[in-house]
């Protein structure tokens, strides 16, 4: 077996790993290989660019006499005793003596062969955290190897790589070390475009995988070291080049020219709307109209705060496309939201002679077939639904415009699928994405070089501002009293409960595609929401109290929503399934229980469900003590402002940029090393260098993208 890399001959305590390494020589994909495929570690270069999360120092030994409890140290000594403890949990206990002290090594999972080989008299090197245990000083599951009295210490720090289940660290280290030794790492960026203090790529990589023990670990771990700067720059450059290429490619694509006609559908729709467009809506409609008239596909993000009226803007754009004889698709991230859009659009458009089809995953086979036929024949001019709208069986007769609501909620996989769908037609459709989560300016301008942005920056008139009150949950009985008064007056109330976990599957798929190890999701805990529902049903006898959460069957969800929308239910106890898009103007009171558990932007989205009618609305945030500092800041921000952009700014302040740019932000998660906010200087430089390289060194630019993004380059365009 090849013995490359600092830890190649390093037997870890999980010896299952090393057995599998030997098996790797056979052609069948072993479990660790499959895990590596999943992480996107396929080519040598992928392995070389898989950088350590942190390091372990195996370059020195600590005497047990000098080591303190709580310290992670490497010690070396002779085994003095070795036994299996059967009382309590079965475990292997190895007593190690280094001449200055003793330590017990405890293994809860072990092989019989380990007990045999770690026999008394054998010299062991063990690395782990020292602590004081029941039987004395101990290390639980240390990394252990058998050594002789002259086995050299590691020459460099030992890398610890991001990994996933089924991929042991020891296996991965070996794979990375050999990938690194084989990967072609010639310089592709002309040196005059890089600062002189940055190392060459090859040197930077070798250094980051195996740094010498003298280096300041902080500079490695906070990524400020010049080697890290070089790597982050490389990554950003790949991203910029691919964005610029995507933009250039788009300029060559052909899309239908869509122009509003006099007395056409758009005008007729405007005439039947029960309101006037705001100036901001008119402005963005104009921007969209300009795009639609061009023979290249539109690629535009429409952002506007919760309740700013994005749906009608989308409908007006759809009207233009349909008038020109093209189909439109509107896709929403949840069934509840899609259903609302469907109802609203049917209400507006069917009287004008438009047939609207409905597609979701929960449709019965027969109904689905009918809808699919209507779409394929072109009989349905508009299709509304969840991501079922872009599935393979869906054939559009003539798709001219795709509208994606709350686009940041869709996973990368779905954005990619949409892209394929769009590309499959001869003329590429126009694309309008909508989001209530504002993209920070810097991000919109630099990172998303391939996206136009329109912003609705005012709310429709006549909205009464929402008053937000923050109470300790000891005030809950008063709040229930208040609800009784409200519903007696005919108002409607949302009561929102947190749920341990209610993310949709799309996120997990996105995680996997983005090469992140997806965490196993904890089981859903519905006790909170069902209990509250029970309690409110009793306290408000005589009034309808509904229950809504993500695990209800689609038909039941739709039914509950319809009964709340019609006013039959006075109170809706719900989880965050109502976070996006739910629109019941008569609802004027919202209570959010355990508000401290929600993120700021989520609270803002939720609160946006009220304040949609003419009545003054109230949002009550109930919290359980004690509040964390950031919890306090979030609730304070909620009480102080209702402006979505201000909320986004505060969110950034409270959480820090890294988290804000989290997985849901427009594919930003595809950046592994660079941070768009922290590394703004690098972003700007990458943008300049990308332009120069595309102009003067197009081949090198292309190879750079292939090196960095490989199969992932597709995702960046999604
Ligand atoms: P969002 O931008 O959050 O998607 P919606 O499109 O759901 O907002 O609109 C929120 C509510 O405001 C809807 O009931 C919609 O019909 C209404 N609305 C939209 N535009 C206007 C307007 N110009 N004047 C009055 N009400 C409007
Ligand atoms: Mg909306």
């Amino acid at each position: 077996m090849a013995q490359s890399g600092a830890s190649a001959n390093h037997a870890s305590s999980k010896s299952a790993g090393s057995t599998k390494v030997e098996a790797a020589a056979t052609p069948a994909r072993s479990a660790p290989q499959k895990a590596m495929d999943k992480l996107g570690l396929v080519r040598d270069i992928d392995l070389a660019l898989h950088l350590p999360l942190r390091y372990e120092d195996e370059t020195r030994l600590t005497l047990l006499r000098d080591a303190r409890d709580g310290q992670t140290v490497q010690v070396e000594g002779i085994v003095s005793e070795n036994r299996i403890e059967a009382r309590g949990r079965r475990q292997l206990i190895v007593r190690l003596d280094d001449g200055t002290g003793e330590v017990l090594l405890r293994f809860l999972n072990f092989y019989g062969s380990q007990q045999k080989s770690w026999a008394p008299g054998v010299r062991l090197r063990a690395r782990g955290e020292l602590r004081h245990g029941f039987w004395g000083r101990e290390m639980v599951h240390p990394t252990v190897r058998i050594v002789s009295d002259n086995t050299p210490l590691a020459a460099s720090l030992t890398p610890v790589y991001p990994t996933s289940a089924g991929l042991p660290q020891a296996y991965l280290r070996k794979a990375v070390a050999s990938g690194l030794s084989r990967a072609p790492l010639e310089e592709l960026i002309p040196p005059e475009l890089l600062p002189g203090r940055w190392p060459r790529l090859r040197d930077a990589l070798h250094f980051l995988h195996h740094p010498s023990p003298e280096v300041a670990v902080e500079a490695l771990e906070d990524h400020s070291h010049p080697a890290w700067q070089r790597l982050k720059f490389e990554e950003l450059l790949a991203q910029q080049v691919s964005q610029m290429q995507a933009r250039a490619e788009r300029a060559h694509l052909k899309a239908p020219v869509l122009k509003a006609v006099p007395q056409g559908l758009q005008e007729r729709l405007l005439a039947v709307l029960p309101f006037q467009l705001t100036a901001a809506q008119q402005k963005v409609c104009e921007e969209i109209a300009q795009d639609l008239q061009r023979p290249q596909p539109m690629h535009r993000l429409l952002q506007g705060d919760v309740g700013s009226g994005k749906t009608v803007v989308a409908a007006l754009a759809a009207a233009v496309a349909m008038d020109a004889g093209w189909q439109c698709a509107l896709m929403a991230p949840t069934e509840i939201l899609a259903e609302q859009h469907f109802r609203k659009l049917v209400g507006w458009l069917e009287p004008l002679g438009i047939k609207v089809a409905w597609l979701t995953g929960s449709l019965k086979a027969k109904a689905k077939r009918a809808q699919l036929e209507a779409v394929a024949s072109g009989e349905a001019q508009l299709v509304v639904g969840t991501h079922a709208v872009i599935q393979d069986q869906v054939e559009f007769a003539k798709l001219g415009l795709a509208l994606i609501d709350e686009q940041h909620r869709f996973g990368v996989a779905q954005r990619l699928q949409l892209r394929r769908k769009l590309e499959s037609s001869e003329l590429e459709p126009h694309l309008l994405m909508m989001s209530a989560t504002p993209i920070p300016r810097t991000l919109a301008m630099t990172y998303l070089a391939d996206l136009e942005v329109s912003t609705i920056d005012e709310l429709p008139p006549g909205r009464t501002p929402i008053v937000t009150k923050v109470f300790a949950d000891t005030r809950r009985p008063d709040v229930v009293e208040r609800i009784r008064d409200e519903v007696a007056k005919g108002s409607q109330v949302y009561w929102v409960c947190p749920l341990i976990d209610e993310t949709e599957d799309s996120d997990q798929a996105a995680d996997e595609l983005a090469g992140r190890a997806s965490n196993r999701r904890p089981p859903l805990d519905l006790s909170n929401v069902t209990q509250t529902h029970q309690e409110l049903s009793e306290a408000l006898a005589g009034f309808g109290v509904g229950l809504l959460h993500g695990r209800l069957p689609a038909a039941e969800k739709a039914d509950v929503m319809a009964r709340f929308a019609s006013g039959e239910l006075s109170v809706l106890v719900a989880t965050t399934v109502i976070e996006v898009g739910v629109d019941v103007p008569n609802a004027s009171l919202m209570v959010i229980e355990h508000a401290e558990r929600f993120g700021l932007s989520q609270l803002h989205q939720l609160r946006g469900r009220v304040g949609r009618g003419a009545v003054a609305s109230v949002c009550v945030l109930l919290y359980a003590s004690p509040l964390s500092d950031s919890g306090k800041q979030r609730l304070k921000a909620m009480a102080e402002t209702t402006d979505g952009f201000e909320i986004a700014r505060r969110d950034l302040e409270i959480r820090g940029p890294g988290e804000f740019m989290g997985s849901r932000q427009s594919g930003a998660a595809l950046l592994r090393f660079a941070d768009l906010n922290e590394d703004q200087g690098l972003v700007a430089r990458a943008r300049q260098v990308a332009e120069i390289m595309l102009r003067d060194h197009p081949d090198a630019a292309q190879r750079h993208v292939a090196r960095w993004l490989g199969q992932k380059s597709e995702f960046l365009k999604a």
Side-chain angles (χ1 to χ4, degrees), residues 431-452:
L431 179 58
L432 180 66
M433 295 162 273
M434 290 167 265
S435 173
T437 306
I439 293 187
R441 248 190 115 61
T442 46
L443 178 62
M445 289 175 61
T446 58
Y447 180 67
L448 297 170
D450 186 33
L451 193 64
E452 317 294 337

Side-chain angles (χ1 to χ4, degrees), residues 56 139 467 533 682:
E56 285 175 354
M139 281 184 185
V467 176
H533 175 244
L682 290 177

